[in-house]
Amino acid sequence: MENARVTETPNAVMASLATPSLGSKDLSTWRGSMKEGAQGPLHVVDREQVWVTLAGAVEFIADGSAKLVRTGQAVILPAHEARQVRVVDGPVDALVCMSIGGFASAPGSDERHPLPWAE
């Protein structure tokens, strides 16, 4: 990950791997790492995302239903659905991919935020 751009949030560390700023024209891909017990905020992303868990286990809560994703498994999170990510068995490493240009927001909010690790 020598060329990766790293972004840290209170819940995770994201290393950009393939993004528009790194030469990708259609997709953004990053590696996300979360510590044991970490939990992301409830949020909505306007792009479909594919998560592949490389280590650990993560619970995704999307529109009220929970899905446990263990090492070597993948989950598809539809665009525009409220979601939350919670580490069940950590630390967790995952690869995440989505089409470029995505934004995140809090449910019910009109305020949109770009995902800096996907730019």
Side-chain angles (χ1 to χ4, degrees):
M1 290 197 293
E2 186 174 309
N3 294 328
R5 186 180 64 247
V6 176
T7 304
E8 292 188 43
T9 72
N11 306 302
V13 176
M14 276 69 68
S16 306
L17 300 173
T19 65
S21 64
L22 296 173
S24 179
K25 296 193 185 324
D26 297 316
L27 298 173
S28 291
T29 304
W30 62 92
R31 186 173 187 151
S33 301
M34 297 176 76
K35 295 179 182 176
E36 179 73 41
Q39 178 172 302
L42 182 64
H43 65 288
V44 176
V45 177
D46 67 351
R47 300 286 191 270
E48 176 182 84
Q49 290 182 330
V50 176
W51 286 63
V52 179
T53 305
L54 303 174
V58 186
E59 180 179 56
F60 292 91
I61 301 168
D63 276 353
S65 72
K67 175 157 178 101
L68 182 63
V69 182
R70 298 182 186 280
T71 301
Q73 296 179 326
V75 65
I76 300 168
L77 297 174
H80 307 290
E81 285 191 6
R83 68 193 57 189
Q84 189 169 29
V85 181
R86 183 174 71 86
V87 174
V88 175
D89 180 19
V92 164
D93 279 313
L95 289 177
V96 186
C97 185
M98 70 178 204
S99 59
I100 63 169
F103 289 88
S105 61
S109 173
D110 291 332
E111 191 174 329
R112 298 171 1 131
H113 304 277
L115 305 174
W117 48 88
E119 296 178 328

